């Protein structure tokens, strides 16, 4: 029997990356090793989480310097986590396969006979596809030069760590393409699982959006769009933009900010549709959850969100502008969409498919199948039975690739 461990960089809370690590641990019956768990993070009792540098990050005198800040943009904390992951925990050396969750986990230096499966969620975006966007916020010449040097050094370290990886696994076709472009490695796609009691209980006449209230999620763009409409918008979530969104809501009766909602499934179950406009989303759990609930998705025409909105069967696309969002809402007619058909499209996100795909990858790597580079053929396996939804998605993605 293969001994497997999960290596996740850190638990500053329980977001999408942490949820993936937890579900992977359940599927593979494996413990999770991590640098630290932030105070107040609620972890499930059925998963073993082993923080091997807890005191360093959560105790004085280092805590003020190494605390998670600004959605992870704390250079000193990031550097320390990367360095601490190189040797990680002594017990890791005894596992046959280490499944690495999140980009920094790739810095772990394995034993000669260990196999490494890396599920990065995405290559670090500030180093690659968002590099120019992030750089543009530093306008002073000497600061810009320093940032360029810092990013170049990180990029070199990031690519060097690829040598330790036997198999890359991507959470979407979009991330697979990033891995191919930036790492010159191939990757299998295993979608993260959608968990929760997602359902359709009718239509109470409001649109809903939810996520971390961070700039890259562009919830403020959605709020501004609805501020010029008669349709109701309910915003769920918390984050640095909450006060800004509450100011918009205070001036417009049709916009409501509820903050963190524990039972988000019930809020979505009575919604007319879901609106989602993240910037170049890697996977888009919100979009997947909306589809699992059978709700139409009004999604931005970029990132993986554009793949989730297929042929007006699952929703409508819009450009990331106030005018385009308003136009999509005005064009939207709930009678044009079938909840059953939307749920059928969402079957690719079912838990059983995630579990089967993850186990197959780990078993192949444990058996010695090497990770593929673009010049090599990836290991062949019997293709699973393709549903109508899978066929529709494959056709749509091929069309995007051909363009």
């Amino acid at each position: 029997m293969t001994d497997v461990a999960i290596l996740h960089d850190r638990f500053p809370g329980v977001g999408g990356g942490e949820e993936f690590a937890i579900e992977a641990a359940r599927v593979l019956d494996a413990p999770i090793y991590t640098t630290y768990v932030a105070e107040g993070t609620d972890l499930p009792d059925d998963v073993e989480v082993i923080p091997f540098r807890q005191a360093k990050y959560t105790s004085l005198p280092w805590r003020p310097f190494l605390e998670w800040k600004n959605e992870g943009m704390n250079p000193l904390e990031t550097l320390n986590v990367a360095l601490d992951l190189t040797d990680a925990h002594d017990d890791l050396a005894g596992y046959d396969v280490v499944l690495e969750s999140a980009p920094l986990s790739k810095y772990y230096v394995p034993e000669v006979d260990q196999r490494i499966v890396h599920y990065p969620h995405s290559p670090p975006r500030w180093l690659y596809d968002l590099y120019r966007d992030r750089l543009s916020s530093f306008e002073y010449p000497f600061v810009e030069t320093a940032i360029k040097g810092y990013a170049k050094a990180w990029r070199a370290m990031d690519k060097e760590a690829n040598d330790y990886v036997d198999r890359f696994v991507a959470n979407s076709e979009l991330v697979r393409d990033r891995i191919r472009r930036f790492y010159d490695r191939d990757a299998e796609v295993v979608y993260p699982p959608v968990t929760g009691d997602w359902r359709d209980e009718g239509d109470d006449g409001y649109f809903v959006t939810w996520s971390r209230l961070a700039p890259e999620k562009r919830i403020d763009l959605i709020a501004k769009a609805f501020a010029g409409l008669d349709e109701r918008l309910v915003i769920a979530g918390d984050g640095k933009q909450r006060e800004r969104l509450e100011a918009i809501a205070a001036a417009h009766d049709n916009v409501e900010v509820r903050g963190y909602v524990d039972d988000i499934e019930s809020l979505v179950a009575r919604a007319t549709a879901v609106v989602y406009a993240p910037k170049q989303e890697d996977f888009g759990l919100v979009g997947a959850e909306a589809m699992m609930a059978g709700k139409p998705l009004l999604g931005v025409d970029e990132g993986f969100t554009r793949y989730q909105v297929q042929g007006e069967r699952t929703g409508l696309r819009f450009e990331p502008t106030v005018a385009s969002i308003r136009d999509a809402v005005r064009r939207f007619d709930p009678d044009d969409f079938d909840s059953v058909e939307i749920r059928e499209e969402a079957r690719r996100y079912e838990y059983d498919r995630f579990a089967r795909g993850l186990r197959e990858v780990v078993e192949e790597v444990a058996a010695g199948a090497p990770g593929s580079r673009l010049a090599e053929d990836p290991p062949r396996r019997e293709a699973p039975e393709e549903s109508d939804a899978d066929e529709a998605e494959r056709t749509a993605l091929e069309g995007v690739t051909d363009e």
Side-chain angles (χ1 to χ4, degrees):
M1 184 176 179
T2 303
D3 286 332
V4 183
I6 312 297
L7 183 60
H8 186 72
D9 52 10
R10 75 280 237 197
F11 274 74
V14 179
E18 290 72 38
E19 289 178 356
F20 168 83
I22 289 168
E23 296 303 335
R26 287 170 172 155
V27 166
L28 300 173
D29 191 21
I32 301 173
Y33 290 82
T34 189
T35 50
Y36 70 95
V37 178
E39 183 179 354
T41 301
D42 188 18
L43 297 176
D45 295 332
D46 63 325
V47 172
E48 182 183 12
V49 179
I50 303 168
F52 51 83
R53 295 286 189 273
Q54 183 71 14
K56 175 179 178 180
Y57 292 89
T58 60
S59 303
L60 297 173
W62 301 113
R63 186 182 66 201
F65 303 99
L66 298 179
E67 283 182 328
W68 173 273
K69 298 173 183 175
N70 302 326
E71 303 295 341
M73 295 304 292
N74 177 346
L76 189 59
E77 187 262 3
T78 301
L79 178 60
N80 273 268
V81 169
L83 295 176
D84 285 338
L85 284 164
T86 59
D87 56 338
H89 194 288
D90 290 343
D91 288 351
L92 275 174
Y95 291 92
D96 302 315
V97 177
V98 176
L99 172 63
E100 298 170 340
S101 166
L104 291 181
S105 301
K106 185 175 59 177
Y107 290 89
Y108 170 66
V109 180
E111 297 294 307
V112 173
D113 58 348
Q114 273 188 315
R115 300 297 185 189
I116 301 297
V117 177
H118 188 56
Y119 195 109
H121 302 286
S122 177
R125 301 191 63 191
W126 72 277
L127 291 179
Y128 299 105
D129 62 303
L130 294 182
Y131 172 65
R132 289 176 180 80
D133 182 66
R134 296 291 173 87
L135 193 64
S136 66
S137 62
F138 299 95
E139 298 179 351
Y140 299 102
F142 293 107
V143 175
E144 183 182 42
T145 299
I147 295 297
K148 285 181 178 179
Y150 178 75
K152 186 174 180 63
W154 264 107
R155 205 174 289 119
M157 291 191 298
D158 182 61
K159 293 192 175 184
E160 177 189 14
N162 290 339
D163 293 340
Y164 307 138
V165 177
D166 293 286
R167 184 77 62 83
F168 279 92
V169 183
N171 63 10
S172 69
E173 287 79 3
L174 179 67
V175 171
R176 178 200 62 196
D177 292 344
R178 289 180 192 161
I179 291 171
R180 287 173 172 175
R181 178 66 184 90
F182 300 125
Y183 293 162
D184 195 32
R185 295 284 295 271
D186 211 340
E188 297 200 39
V189 176
V190 176
Y191 294 125
V194 174
T195 59
D197 182 23
W198 299 100
R199 60 199 186 275
D200 181 5
E201 293 182 344
D203 181 355
D204 282 353
Y206 60 84
F207 293 76
V208 64
T209 187
W210 76 97
S211 73
R212 287 180 297 107
L213 303 184
E216 64 270 17
K217 299 300 183 180
R218 295 194 290 215
I219 304 295
D220 58 333
L221 189 71
I222 299 173
K224 291 175 184 177
F226 273 81
L229 297 171
D230 294 330
E231 303 288 349
R232 288 177 58 205
L233 173 69
V234 177
I235 299 170
D238 206 349
K240 64 171 62 175
Q241 287 200 325
R242 181 167 178 175
E243 289 186 6
R244 182 177 181 179
L245 293 166
E246 287 177 338
I248 296 174
H252 299 86
D253 293 339
N254 66 318
V255 178
E256 177 185 357
V257 179
R258 294 198 181 180
Y260 176 76
V261 175
D262 185 57
D263 186 11
I264 188 66
E265 293 96 331
S266 293
L267 180 64
V268 175
R270 303 296 304 177
T272 302
V274 174
V275 189
Y276 196 42
K279 187 170 187 177
Q280 294 292 342
E281 189 78 315
D282 306 329
F283 170 68
L285 188 59
V286 168
E289 289 170 339
M291 293 167 63
M292 288 293 284
K295 295 296 181 178
L297 175 65
L298 277 61
V300 67
D301 190 19
E302 64 180 45
F304 191 64
T305 309
R306 72 165 53 155
Y307 298 155
Q308 293 176 320
V309 183
Q310 294 294 333
E312 299 193 356
R313 294 189 307 276
T314 60
L316 300 176
R317 297 178 189 168
F318 54 77
E319 298 300 321
T321 66
V322 167
S324 185
I325 294 173
R326 287 176 180 171
D327 178 65
V329 174
R330 290 177 178 131
R331 287 188 292 114
F332 175 75
D333 183 348
D335 292 336
D336 292 341
F337 299 92
D338 184 350
S339 177
V340 174
E341 185 175 358
I342 293 173
R343 286 185 63 89
E344 177 64 23
E345 291 282 349
R347 285 187 57 208
R348 63 181 67 94
Y349 308 126
E350 289 177 345
Y351 195 94
D352 289 347
R353 293 194 177 195
F354 160 74
R356 184 171 66 249
L358 197 62
R359 290 191 187 109
E360 286 178 352
V361 169
V362 169
E363 288 169 3
E364 286 179 356
V365 172
S372 59
R373 295 183 183 271
L374 290 183
E376 302 171 352
D377 291 329
R380 299 181 64 86
R381 71 169 66 154
E382 183 179 350
E385 183 178 349
E386 189 177 63
S387 67
D388 292 341
D390 293 328
E391 182 180 2
E393 179 192 36
R394 174 174 53 77
T395 302
L397 291 175
E398 287 173 354
V400 170
T401 303
D402 290 343
E403 292 173 4

